[in-house]
Amino acid sequence: ESSGLPVEPSAAFLALRDNTTSSDPSIYLRRNHFNEDIFPLLGEIGVSRDSLQLAWDFTVGSTESITGRLLHMRDDGLARLPSNGPVYYIDLIEDGPSDLIARRIRGTFETPYYTEHPGPNTHLVLDDDGLPVFQGWTNSTFIVNIPVSLVAQGQSGRILQYGHGLFGSETEINGSYLQEIANDYGYVTCATNWWGMDQFDVPAVTTMMLKNLTNCGIIPDRSQQG
């Protein structure tokens, strides 16, 4: 503190550290954890219990626990794709949809899925090792915008993949500022809906939040699939 004196521990932490009584029920709920898991560990590295001003622990995730499922789906999915890329279908070609876009292509592509079903309100299907299991193939939509500048110059452009906002959609790629970026810098922009975070997930997520928060896994599970 400003006087240069040591900061005094809070009354709550003193009760935990010194094993004194407290009128706070949460102190008793946490006492065993501190006595068994926190103070002994600090003692092992030479930090005496009576010198502590504050101590706590928190849960972290390993690289494997955070990214393992996603990387497994990526590797498994890529291995299943044809050697010349995913199967896709052109559904609509629009020439000159705006002053900045020369051609807009809408279509669908085949993608592997690892959830109980391809739609919203679903969970990953896991094997005994906790890794996602391939369930089959489904279709997802895409949009590609080719700017006027590339056509006028007769050049190919770099690919810019756009990720939409929370509960948005692939159609955000048609916004004016993205068209300007594509035309000014020569990007072919493309987008698809991010499952788990797109507009089609809103009803399922809303129902989950209002009625059953224990089903919140539908968001990370479908987002990793997405």
Side-chain angles (χ1 to χ4, degrees):
E1 60 176 18
S2 59
S3 66
L5 297 174
V7 176
E8 290 297 321
S10 68
F13 184 70
L14 276 177
L16 288 169
R17 189 192 73 179
D18 299 342
N19 273 326
T20 56
T21 59
S22 172
S23 59
D24 186 345
S26 67
I27 299 299
Y28 289 93
L29 292 174
R30 303 178 70 187
R31 194 181 296 279
N32 286 342
H33 174 57
F34 272 77
N35 286 337
E36 296 173 4
D37 300 323
I38 296 180
F39 296 136
L41 286 176
L42 291 171
E44 289 176 8
I45 60 173
V47 179
S48 62
R49 181 165 173 162
D50 59 6
S51 71
L52 292 169
Q53 295 171 313
L54 186 63
W56 70 94
D57 68 349
F58 55 93
T59 302
V60 298
S62 66
T63 300
E64 174 63 26
S65 67
I66 294 172
T67 65
R69 292 178 180 178
L70 186 60
L71 292 177
H72 173 77
M73 285 188 287
R74 181 199 66 181
D75 295 343
D76 185 78
L78 288 174
R80 294 177 185 277
L81 291 178
S83 58
N84 59 346
V87 176
Y88 66 91
Y89 309 91
I90 303 300
D91 300 322
L92 179 66
I93 295 177
E94 301 175 80
D95 287 326
S98 75
D99 293 339
L100 299 176
I101 300 301
R103 174 168 289 183
R104 176 169 297 145
I105 303 170
R106 298 174 183 265
T108 57
F109 63 96
E110 292 186 0
T111 180
Y113 73 95
Y114 298 80
T115 50
E116 297 159 331
H117 56 82
N121 193 26
T122 188
H123 292 273
L124 290 170
V125 178
L126 305 177
D127 63 16
D128 293 339
D129 295 322
L131 294 174
V133 179
F134 172 74
Q135 298 297 296
W137 295 88
T138 187
N139 289 332
S140 188
T141 57
F142 68 85
I143 299 175
V144 175
N145 283 333
I146 303 172
V148 168
S149 60
L150 287 179
V151 175
Q153 298 166 14
Q155 296 180 350
S156 60
R158 292 171 293 176
I159 300 296
L160 176 63
Q161 183 174 349
Y162 173 76
H164 62 71
L166 180 63
F167 298 128
S169 77
E170 62 189 1
T171 58
E172 291 178 18
I173 198 177
N174 298 329
S176 59
Y177 83 96
L178 285 169
Q179 293 187 37
E180 292 173 3
I181 290 174
N183 195 59
D184 290 347
Y185 298 102
Y187 288 119
V188 176
T189 55
C190 58
T192 186
N193 289 326
W194 182 10
W195 293 358
M197 288 290 183
D198 69 27
Q199 61 184 358
F200 301 109
D201 289 284
V202 171
V205 172
T206 301
T207 300
M208 176 272 294
M209 294 179 68
L210 292 175
K211 295 184 176 182
N212 184 12
L213 282 174
T214 61
N215 198 35
C216 64
I218 62 174
I219 299 177
D221 280 12
R222 192 163 139 82
S223 296
Q224 290 184 62
Q225 161 67 58

